[in-house]
Amino acid sequence: MHTKQQVRELMGPADPARDAVVPPSPLTAHDLILRAEDATATPGGPARRAASRRNVLVGAAAALTVLGPAGVAQVLRNGASTGTAPAHPVTGTVLEPVAYEVPAGEPAGPYLRALAARLVDAPQDASGGRYSYWHTKSWGGSATMSPEGHMMSDVRERREFVADDGRRWQEDKPLGVEFPDTASREYWSTRLRSPSADPSATRPPQGIREIPPDPVDRRLPADRAELARWLRTDRPAGELVMRTYQLYSSYLVPRRTRADLLTILAEKPGFVWHGKVVDRAGRRGVAVTADLVPPPGERLQRAQMLLVFDPSTGELLAYEYLETAPNRRVLHYLLMLEARRTDTVN
Amino acid sequence: MKPVSERGEDWFTKLYAARYPDIVRYGMRRLPDADSAAELAQDVFVVVWRRRGEVPERALPWLYAVARHVVANRWRSRRGGPSLLTLAEADHVPARIVEPDAVAPVLDLHRALRRLPEFDQEILRLVGWEDLSVADAAVALGCTRSAAAVRLHRARRRLRSALTTPAPARGVRPASTHV
């Protein structure tokens, strides 16, 4: 086979940008010409850099005027925005895995079926309005990893509003750095700059911005059979955890669908019941986990997906992705703080 | 070289509209976040306007050459901090990879890639990810076509070798994040 083709086949699956959605630039061609000519006229590197930053903000405002809110967009990867690597002083928390009431666990099926049978309405079931609204807090979605494996990531708070016609608005707020272990915190402590060294650290909060419509089909699976197909129940339990997380991130899930989901998970071998837990937002919930099947060549590593459900309403409270061996540590978490309908984007 | 007078705002606007996404993706493959990639693309097109007389008709490989220099310059100037880590020092799993089983092979490839010399990494990325021909990769790298062909062949061989050779013991790294 030709070398070029071999390289493409080898590298292609790992391409971080192959399916990336690149919305239009917030700066017009004219903005960039002005910036280029401004830079030519401004001697000195640092001054040019500062001018660039100002131009970004002014350019974005100009685009907003000319194009409307849709013209101001951030670059997304499959709809998930990624933030800049943090430039905060390193006082970040070292994350502890959620403590389980039943550490060893037992098959989750009977517990999930019982939970499904006693669900009550959640506040979202009675909410109304033109927009679906999610308020989440997550960590690990965009992480920085040192060559030695020391990891660092921002906690990000997100508010997202989606209209029925697919238009979306989003506010992202970085809340600070957290680490999966002490070694990572010590490593990055010696390498992070002061926040003032990075212009992005002093950038004013962007507030709520309209972002490109999500290509995802916003129609909730209509019945249990369709939901089972949507969840891909033929795949391993660990992947169902991911799909469960995606379900709650994409839809406001009504009580009947929540019950269907729990019974579908109950039928899937591989889910383990861990009883009562308290999530990172301090809420009481019940936990199930599914171990990930280690891929060939990764024998040393074991990982686990965790779902925390509200014990009354069955809503998803939290999702976590943990390494369980050789170290037990958190690699990603998401807290679903609020999900409901609303009439206002604010 | 084209006279600057033949390349006005219309020419620039068309080139910007056509190639901005390519340069953002180039940045996303080498920088740790999408904001940096968008800034990189803006910086590249600032250079394009200032050097518009030099831009060849087939502009993309030349644009990648500019982007490569901009990334290198930024990295040098910000070496003190992690906000612009090159891909060689950051694990980024493509967002479309949500199946946990699929994450580890991707990380393996990234880790094998970063064990190679920088030039090997870049020619592999240009051909494997930017989908350039060997001749276009040579333009982006500022070398001859035959030199690029030889280096691509060697780089592929080294990458395969790195994938099958255990990494030096530096502690076990976790499967990185996804979503």
Side-chain angles (χ1 to χ4, degrees):
Chain A
M1 198 191 301
H2 200 282
T3 302
K4 191 172 68 180
Q5 187 58 31
Q6 289 175 329
V7 168
R8 284 177 186 157
E9 287 178 7
L10 191 60
M11 298 277 291
D15 182 353
R18 185 157 69 174
D19 299 325
V21 178
V22 181
S25 168
L27 298 188
T28 65
H30 187 70
D31 290 331
L32 290 177
I33 290 171
L34 292 178
R35 186 200 285 192
E37 293 179 350
D38 178 42
T40 307
T42 307
R48 181 205 169 280
R49 197 64 224 165
S52 295
R53 176 64 57 190
R54 278 199 303 275
N55 282 344
V56 168
L57 297 172
V58 170
L64 182 63
T65 307
V66 175
L67 303 173
V72 181
Q74 66 181 144
V75 177
L76 302 175
R77 268 187 219 173
N78 287 356
S81 68
T82 54
T84 51
H88 311 283
V90 183
T91 54
T93 304
V94 173
L95 292 165
E96 290 290 334
V98 169
Y100 302 147
E101 180 190 31
V102 187
E106 47 192 301
Y111 295 96
L112 289 172
R113 272 189 285 273
L115 176 59
R118 65 168 186 265
L119 292 190
V120 299
D121 275 349
Q124 73 159 64
D125 295 318
S127 66
R130 288 178 293 162
Y131 307 100
S132 301
Y133 167 63
W134 291 266
H135 178 199
T136 59
K137 188 171 160 185
S138 66
W139 173 87
S142 176
T144 303
M145 189 85 74
S146 79
E148 299 84 358
H150 299 304
M151 181 179 164
M152 168 180 70
S153 185
D154 255 344
V155 182
R156 303 191 79 80
E157 185 178 25
R158 172 172 293 179
R159 295 173 200 276
E160 182 175 2
F161 301 81
V162 180
D164 291 338
D165 63 6
R167 285 183 302 150
R168 299 193 302 161
W169 294 261
Q170 201 174 77
E171 179 184 40
D172 254 342
K173 196 187 296 179
L175 298 179
V177 188
E178 290 182 354
F179 304 90
D181 48 45
T182 308
S184 292
R185 183 166 69 177
E186 287 173 0
Y187 176 91
W188 289 108
S189 297
T190 59
R191 287 162 177 81
L192 284 175
R193 293 164 295 150
S194 93
S196 59
D198 181 356
S200 68
T202 56
R203 191 160 43 190
Q206 293 176 313
I208 293 175
R209 299 187 299 166
E210 183 162 3
I211 60 172
D214 193 341
V216 70
D217 178 4
R218 287 278 166 188
R219 193 178 59 86
L220 186 73
D223 54 30
R224 191 176 185 279
E226 194 176 317
L227 178 65
R229 284 193 296 277
W230 193 96
L231 290 168
R232 300 180 194 160
T233 49
D234 57 318
R235 305 290 299 163
E239 295 186 34
L240 258 69
V241 173
M242 286 296 303
R243 294 296 283 173
T244 300
Y245 155 77
Q246 288 167 354
L247 181 79
Y248 275 90
S249 304
S250 307
Y251 306 102
L252 296 178
V253 184
R255 176 175 155 186
R256 193 190 68 185
T257 309
R258 297 198 298 271
D260 286 343
L261 169 72
L262 292 170
T263 58
I264 289 169
L265 299 185
E267 289 171 6
K268 184 73 187 175
F271 279 99
V272 176
W273 179 263
H274 292 287
K276 295 173 189 169
V277 296
V278 176
D279 77 5
R280 293 179 194 283
R283 299 171 296 182
R284 293 182 184 281
V286 290
V288 294
T289 61
D291 287 345
L292 299 183
V293 180
E298 289 284 340
R299 293 182 189 83
L300 283 176
Q301 291 183 299
R302 293 287 184 280
Q304 188 176 80
M305 314 294 263
L306 163 70
L307 293 172
V308 179
F309 292 107
D310 184 295
S312 301
T313 65
E315 293 170 293
L316 182 69
L317 299 179
Y319 148 89
E320 302 210 355
Y321 172 31
L322 303 113
E323 180 184 276
T324 52
N327 303 304
R328 184 169 177 79
R329 59 183 192 164
V330 181
L331 297 177
H332 177 74
Y333 74 72
L334 177 128
L335 295 166
M336 193 67 74
L337 298 175
E338 201 174 1
R340 60 178 166 84
R341 300 286 294 183
T342 178
D343 255 332
T344 53
V345 174
N346 59 33
Chain B
M1 294 280 283
K2 285 270 184 183
V4 167
S5 58
E6 288 182 16
R7 292 188 160 169
E9 189 166 339
D10 283 351
W11 168 85
F12 180 75
T13 301
K14 283 178 189 159
L15 182 66
Y16 182 54
R19 294 305 181 195
Y20 173 82
D22 294 316
I23 305 304
V24 172
R25 288 193 185 95
Y26 178 97
M28 291 168 78
R29 291 166 179 138
R30 289 157 179 82
L31 300 171
D33 62 77
D35 287 342
S36 299
E39 277 197 36
L40 166 70
Q42 291 160 13
D43 285 355
V44 166
F45 280 95
V46 166
V47 174
V48 168
W49 177 255
R50 286 159 53 190
R51 295 172 57 191
R52 57 193 180 279
E54 303 169 36
V55 181
E57 289 300 325
R58 291 188 64 251
L60 191 56
W62 188 89
L63 295 176
Y64 285 142
V66 173
R68 183 165 168 254
H69 288 299
V70 172
V71 169
N73 288 340
R74 279 194 186 197
W75 176 232
R76 274 196 292 274
S77 67
R78 297 191 184 191
R79 191 173 286 162
S83 67
L84 276 172
L85 287 179
T86 59
L87 191 61
E89 298 194 23
D91 275 329
H92 283 279
V93 178
R96 69 179 182 283
I97 296 182
V98 293
E99 292 83 2
D101 289 359
V103 172
V106 168
L107 292 178
D108 285 345
L109 193 133
H110 282 185
R111 288 166 190 166
L113 192 61
R114 70 183 177 222
R115 288 163 61 194
L116 305 185
E118 173 55 32
F119 195 96
D120 284 4
Q121 293 182 37
E122 186 61 6
I123 196 165
L124 288 168
R125 288 191 290 252
L126 287 169
V127 173
W129 290 347
E130 268 80 39
D131 207 21
L132 293 190
S133 66
V134 174
D136 285 344
V139 172
L141 290 166
C143 66
T144 65
R145 188 197 177 287
S146 55
V150 169
R151 289 179 130 161
L152 178 65
H153 182 76
R154 285 183 190 156
R156 183 192 62 83
R157 200 178 57 206
R158 286 176 182 147
L159 180 62
R160 281 208 178 280
S161 171
L163 278 168
T164 54
T165 308
R170 297 166 114 174
V172 177
R173 296 172 195 139
S176 188
T177 55
H178 47 279
V179 181

